[in-house]
Amino acid sequence: MPVKENQETLVRTKARELCSAMELRGWASTKFVPTPPYGYTLVSMTGCRAWFGKRWGMICDDMDDHLKLVLDIPKGRTSVEETAERLDLPLVNGNEGKSGVEMIDNRDRNTIVIYLYTDELKNIAFRNSEVMEFVSNVRRWSCL
Protein backbone atom coordinates (compact mmCIF):
# COMPACT_ATOMS: atom_id res chain seq x y z
CA MET A 1 0.00 0.00 0.00
CA PRO A 2 1.16 3.55 -0.64
CA VAL A 3 2.36 5.40 2.44
CA LYS A 4 1.10 8.75 3.58
CA GLU A 5 3.30 11.83 3.55
CA ASN A 6 5.61 11.94 6.60
CA GLN A 7 4.56 8.40 7.65
CA GLU A 8 7.55 6.55 9.11
CA THR A 9 7.94 2.95 7.92
CA LEU A 10 10.64 0.29 7.83
CA VAL A 11 10.94 0.95 4.10
CA ARG A 12 11.62 4.66 4.60
CA THR A 13 14.11 3.92 7.38
CA LYS A 14 15.96 1.48 5.11
CA ALA A 15 15.92 3.97 2.21
CA ARG A 16 17.70 6.51 4.42
CA GLU A 17 20.12 3.79 5.56
CA LEU A 18 20.95 3.03 1.91
CA CYS A 19 21.58 6.73 1.20
CA SER A 20 23.84 6.91 4.26
CA ALA A 21 25.78 3.84 3.12
CA MET A 22 26.32 5.51 -0.25
CA GLU A 23 27.45 8.74 1.39
CA LEU A 24 29.93 6.83 3.56
CA ARG A 25 31.57 5.60 0.36
CA GLY A 26 32.59 9.19 -0.28
CA TRP A 27 30.49 9.70 -3.37
CA ALA A 28 30.81 13.46 -3.52
CA SER A 29 29.68 13.36 -7.16
CA THR A 30 26.30 11.82 -6.27
CA LYS A 31 23.48 13.90 -4.85
CA PHE A 32 20.34 12.39 -3.28
CA VAL A 33 17.42 14.54 -4.36
CA PRO A 34 14.19 14.04 -2.38
CA THR A 35 11.48 13.32 -4.93
CA PRO A 36 8.13 13.21 -3.10
CA PRO A 37 6.17 11.04 -3.01
CA TYR A 38 8.51 8.44 -4.56
CA GLY A 39 11.71 8.65 -2.54
CA TYR A 40 15.15 9.82 -3.70
CA THR A 41 16.57 10.43 -7.15
CA LEU A 42 20.27 9.62 -7.57
CA VAL A 43 21.86 12.45 -9.53
CA SER A 44 25.43 12.56 -10.77
CA MET A 45 26.99 15.99 -10.51
CA THR A 46 29.35 15.03 -13.36
CA GLY A 47 26.93 13.46 -15.86
CA CYS A 48 26.09 9.90 -16.85
CA ARG A 49 27.12 7.47 -19.56
CA ALA A 50 23.91 5.46 -19.41
CA TRP A 51 21.82 8.12 -21.11
CA PHE A 52 21.67 11.86 -21.66
CA GLY A 53 21.27 13.60 -18.34
CA LYS A 54 22.48 13.27 -14.78
CA ARG A 55 19.93 10.94 -13.18
CA TRP A 56 21.22 7.37 -12.80
CA GLY A 57 18.70 5.86 -10.42
CA MET A 58 16.03 6.10 -7.75
CA ILE A 59 15.42 4.72 -4.30
CA CYS A 60 11.64 4.39 -4.04
CA ASP A 61 10.19 4.29 -0.53
CA ASP A 62 6.59 5.11 -1.40
CA MET A 63 5.13 1.70 -0.50
CA ASP A 64 4.86 0.29 3.01
CA ASP A 65 5.84 -3.30 2.14
CA HIS A 66 8.84 -2.93 -0.20
CA LEU A 67 11.76 -0.77 -1.23
CA LYS A 68 12.38 -0.43 -4.95
CA LEU A 69 15.84 0.38 -6.26
CA VAL A 70 15.86 1.53 -9.91
CA LEU A 71 19.29 1.80 -11.57
CA ASP A 72 20.13 2.87 -15.12
CA ILE A 73 23.13 1.14 -16.67
CA PRO A 74 24.81 1.27 -20.06
CA LYS A 75 23.65 -1.53 -22.37
CA GLY A 76 25.71 -4.71 -22.20
CA ARG A 77 27.25 -4.15 -18.74
CA THR A 78 25.39 -6.96 -17.00
CA SER A 79 22.45 -9.27 -17.52
CA VAL A 80 19.41 -9.68 -15.33
CA GLU A 81 20.47 -13.27 -14.67
CA GLU A 82 23.95 -12.19 -13.48
CA THR A 83 22.43 -9.53 -11.26
CA ALA A 84 19.86 -11.90 -9.75
CA GLU A 85 22.57 -14.50 -9.04
CA ARG A 86 24.88 -11.90 -7.53
CA LEU A 87 22.17 -10.55 -5.23
CA ASP A 88 20.76 -14.03 -4.51
CA LEU A 89 17.29 -12.92 -5.60
CA PRO A 90 14.88 -14.51 -8.09
CA LEU A 91 13.96 -13.04 -11.45
CA VAL A 92 10.60 -11.27 -11.43
CA ASN A 93 8.47 -9.76 -14.14
CA GLY A 94 7.27 -6.47 -12.70
CA ASN A 95 6.21 -6.17 -9.11
CA GLU A 96 5.00 -9.69 -8.27
CA GLY A 97 4.69 -9.05 -4.55
CA LYS A 98 8.04 -10.67 -3.72
CA SER A 99 11.67 -9.66 -3.63
CA GLY A 100 13.47 -10.03 -6.91
CA VAL A 101 15.22 -8.46 -9.89
CA GLU A 102 13.99 -7.41 -13.31
CA MET A 103 15.56 -5.62 -16.26
CA ILE A 104 13.80 -3.11 -18.49
CA ASP A 105 15.29 -2.78 -21.96
CA ASN A 106 15.18 0.89 -22.89
CA ARG A 107 16.28 2.27 -26.24
CA ASP A 108 19.47 3.91 -24.94
CA ARG A 109 20.12 2.03 -21.68
CA ASN A 110 18.98 -0.85 -19.49
CA THR A 111 17.24 -0.32 -16.20
CA ILE A 112 17.70 -2.83 -13.37
CA VAL A 113 14.86 -2.84 -10.83
CA ILE A 114 15.49 -4.49 -7.45
CA TYR A 115 12.48 -5.15 -5.24
CA LEU A 116 13.23 -5.73 -1.54
CA TYR A 117 10.26 -6.72 0.57
CA THR A 118 9.93 -6.43 4.34
CA ASP A 119 11.37 -9.89 5.11
CA GLU A 120 14.65 -9.03 3.34
CA LEU A 121 14.70 -5.44 4.61
CA LYS A 122 14.50 -6.59 8.23
CA ASN A 123 17.69 -8.60 7.82
CA ILE A 124 19.83 -6.45 5.53
CA ALA A 125 22.53 -4.03 6.63
CA PHE A 126 23.19 -2.00 3.49
CA ARG A 127 26.59 -0.70 4.56
CA ASN A 128 28.35 -4.03 3.91
CA SER A 129 25.89 -5.72 1.59
CA GLU A 130 26.11 -7.15 -1.90
CA VAL A 131 23.35 -4.69 -2.86
CA MET A 132 25.70 -1.85 -1.91
CA GLU A 133 28.56 -3.42 -3.90
CA PHE A 134 26.27 -3.74 -6.93
CA VAL A 135 25.12 -0.10 -6.62
CA SER A 136 28.78 0.92 -6.38
CA ASN A 137 29.50 -0.90 -9.66
CA VAL A 138 26.48 0.70 -11.35
CA ARG A 139 27.65 4.15 -10.27
CA ARG A 140 31.11 3.46 -11.69
CA TRP A 141 29.64 2.14 -14.98
CA SER A 142 27.14 4.97 -15.35
CA CYS A 143 28.69 8.15 -14.01
CA LEU A 144 31.58 10.12 -15.44
Side-chain angles (χ1 to χ4, degrees), residues 29-95:
S29 65
T30 296
K31 187 169 153 185
F32 306 93
V33 179
T35 312
Y38 305 108
Y40 302 92
T41 300
L42 307 175
V43 177
S44 170
M45 303 310 290
T46 55
C48 295
R49 292 182 188 98
W51 62 296
F52 296 109
K54 294 186 174 193
R55 178 192 161 277
W56 61 276
M58 285 194 79
I59 300 169
C60 301
D61 64 359
D62 57 332
M63 302 300 279
D64 65 356
D65 61 348
H66 71 279
L67 179 93
K68 184 168 71 172
L69 187 55
V70 183
L71 303 167
D72 290 334
I73 60 171
K75 285 198 173 276
R77 276 297 186 171
T78 190
S79 70
V80 67
E81 293 84 7
E82 289 171 357
T83 303
E85 184 177 328
R86 180 176 179 176
L87 300 178
D88 195 26
L89 291 170
L91 296 175
V92 294
N93 188 11
N95 188 354

